[in-house]
């Protein structure tokens, strides 16, 4: 049952990415190009996501536990360290260069656009390298 709910949640998330235009790298890059052909529509997508998340968390935290798990899995590390800042900078640079973040890159894969076919393997390679570096560090 948990896998079915996970699949449906992912499907709804992916559809939201496609409908909002997040799977179109040109739309994302135009949003980031404030000095050129700026497209502010993505700000409304982010605003809607922020409001939805805020309301969702208010409802979820009223429960003693998640519906499909015995307890909440809350991170205990709250430190802002070099790996966090490096990862955030790399994520932002990749988003700014390619116009994709991981979720929308996967939703754009069926379109077989050349940019997607380059970005997705490069992203997966970067994740693999990052996991290896993290494992070596610990």
């Amino acid at each position: 049952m948990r896998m079915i709910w996970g699949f449906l949640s992912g499907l709804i998330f992916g559809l939201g990415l496609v409908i909002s235009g997040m799977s179109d790298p040109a739309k994302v890059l135009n949003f980031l190009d404030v000095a050129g052909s700026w497209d502010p529509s993505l700000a409304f997508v982010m605003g809607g996501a922020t409001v939805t998340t805020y309301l969702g968390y208010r409802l979820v935290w009223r429960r003693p536990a998640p519906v499909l798990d015995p307890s909440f899995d809350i991170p205990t590390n709250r430190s802002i360290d070099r790996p966090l800042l490096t990862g955030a900078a790399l994520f932002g640079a990749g988003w700014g260069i390619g116009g994709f973040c991981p979720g929308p890159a996967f939703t754009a894969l069926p379109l077989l656009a050349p940019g997607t076919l380059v970005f997705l393997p490069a992203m997966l390679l970067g994740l693999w390298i990052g996991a290896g570096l993290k494992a070596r560090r610990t």
Side-chain angles (χ1 to χ4, degrees):
M1 188 64 163
R2 187 174 174 161
M3 285 181 62
I4 292 170
W5 282 111
F7 174 78
L8 290 174
S9 297
L11 184 64
I12 290 169
F13 179 68
L15 287 172
L17 291 173
V18 171
I19 291 168
S20 68
M22 288 288 291
S23 59
D24 179 8
K27 188 170 190 77
V28 174
L29 292 173
N30 284 338
F31 172 73
L32 297 173
D33 187 11
V34 291
S37 57
W38 187 57
D39 179 4
S41 63
L42 217 47
F44 295 107
V45 172
M46 289 188 245
T50 302
V51 170
T52 303
T53 301
Y54 176 82
L55 294 173
Y57 269 100
R58 294 302 163 275
L59 292 171
V60 166
W61 288 128
R62 291 182 182 170
R63 300 183 55 82
V67 174
L68 299 174
D69 217 17
S71 65
F72 288 107
D73 187 17
I74 302 169
T76 56
N77 183 358
R78 293 178 168 250
S79 63
I80 297 174
D81 55 5
R82 186 182 310 158
L84 175 68
L85 294 175
T86 303
L90 287 171
F91 178 89
W95 195 47
I97 292 169
F100 282 124
C101 54
F106 280 103
T107 62
L109 187 59
L111 302 174
L112 299 175
T116 308
L117 297 177
V118 171
F119 180 85
L120 205 56
M123 179 189 73
L124 293 172
L125 178 64
L127 288 168
W128 180 71
I129 291 170
L133 291 173
K134 186 175 181 180
R136 219 181 276 160
R137 204 171 28 118
T138 58

